[in-house]
Amino acid sequence: GESVGLHLPTLSVQEGDNSIINCAYSNSASDYFIWYKQESGKGPQFIIDIRSNMDKRQGQRVTVLLNKTVKHLSLQIAATQPGDSAVYFCARSGNTPLVFGKGTRLSVIA
Amino acid sequence: DAGVIQSPRHEVTEMGQEVTLRCKPISGHNSLFWYRQTMMRGLELLIYFNNNVPIDDSGMPEDRFSAKMPNASFSTLKIQPSEPRDSAVYFCASSLVGRGPSGNTIYFGEGSWLTVV
């Protein structure tokens, strides 16, 4: 069935280190994956996306990796900063609107 | 550019009362979504519209919930009568989709924080 799941509900990272947030999905029909960041008291904000015909996409300090063989998606944040503290959601889109995972809370330790 | 605008930002109401949440999507967007967020269930899609037409309302919890989109710049989500278990953050989101609601970035509003006591 359609589902998007997360490996870890919380992640604590030292400031300056790299963060890796993982996500698994079960529906192979997904053609588009998106990462959102949600800060406390705010709505989810788009970070980066990747199409299913890609393996990797880079943005500013963020990289998304897609492994279709094992149906796994990851978000890598380089040189994590206090402002990166938030809940991160992976989402997939196919023929239906976005389906969101439960989210991973990233805490940055100064 | 103004993003998705939702009102009210916060509402506390008594059980049994009617609640109306409002949303103004981003100008030019043709798809609108209502999501509900709780700690237990995360982000759940309630209903979405494409070109003002409801496409899928299978996520609407029950008949107490209804949503309308009378024009391209306004939508409402109504709960009548409200119950304590409806307490959640309700997000409206919009996107510009060429054909169907897939494959395009969804932009979220700041949410309406509802507490039913």
Side-chain angles (χ1 to χ4, degrees), chain A residues 4 23-36 46 48-54 57 64 66 68 71-73 90-93 98:
Chain A
V4 179
C23 184
Y25 64 95
S26 60
N27 190 326
S28 299
S30 303
D31 59 10
Y32 183 64
F33 297 87
I34 312 162
W35 282 98
Y36 282 84
F46 171 85
I48 191 169
D49 59 10
I50 186 169
R51 295 205 175 271
S52 59
N53 61 356
M54 302 169 66
R57 190 172 185 202
V64 57
L66 176 62
K68 293 181 285 294
K71 299 180 183 178
H72 183 268
L73 187 71
C90 62
R92 60 152 288 272
S93 177
L98 292 183

Side-chain angles (χ1 to χ4, degrees), chain B residues 58-105:
Chain B
S58 60
M60 296 286 262
E62 48 198 271
D63 292 344
R64 296 185 298 107
F65 285 69
S66 62
K68 294 181 180 179
M69 192 167 185
N71 57 63
S73 59
F74 185 66
S75 177
T76 59
L77 177 67
K78 187 173 293 187
I79 308 172
Q80 166 63 20
S82 58
E83 297 182 3
R85 60 191 168 125
D86 301 330
S87 298
V89 185
Y90 291 82
F91 286 104
C92 178
S94 70
S95 69
L96 178 60
V97 180
R99 186 180 66 183
S102 64
N104 293 77
T105 301

Side-chain angles (χ1 to χ4, degrees), chain A residues 49-91:
Chain A
D49 59 10
I50 186 169
R51 295 205 175 271
S52 59
N53 61 356
M54 302 169 66
D55 297 323
K56 178 180 179 180
R57 190 172 185 202
Q58 286 185 293
Q60 186 177 14
R61 284 202 306 119
V62 294
T63 301
V64 57
L65 299 177
L66 176 62
N67 185 330
K68 293 181 285 294
T69 302
V70 296
K71 299 180 183 178
H72 183 268
L73 187 71
S74 69
L75 176 71
Q76 300 179 2
I77 303 174
T80 311
Q81 302 170 0
D84 296 326
S85 294
V87 176
Y88 290 81
F89 294 93
C90 62

Side-chain angles (χ1 to χ4, degrees), chain B residues 31-50:
Chain B
S31 292
L32 183 141
F33 309 82
W34 282 101
Y35 283 86
R36 177 172 68 176
Q37 186 176 40
T38 61
M39 289 294 293
M40 293 297 294
R41 294 174 170 266
L43 268 167
E44 301 174 278
L45 178 66
L46 301 177
I47 185 171
Y48 73 92
F49 297 82
N50 194 25

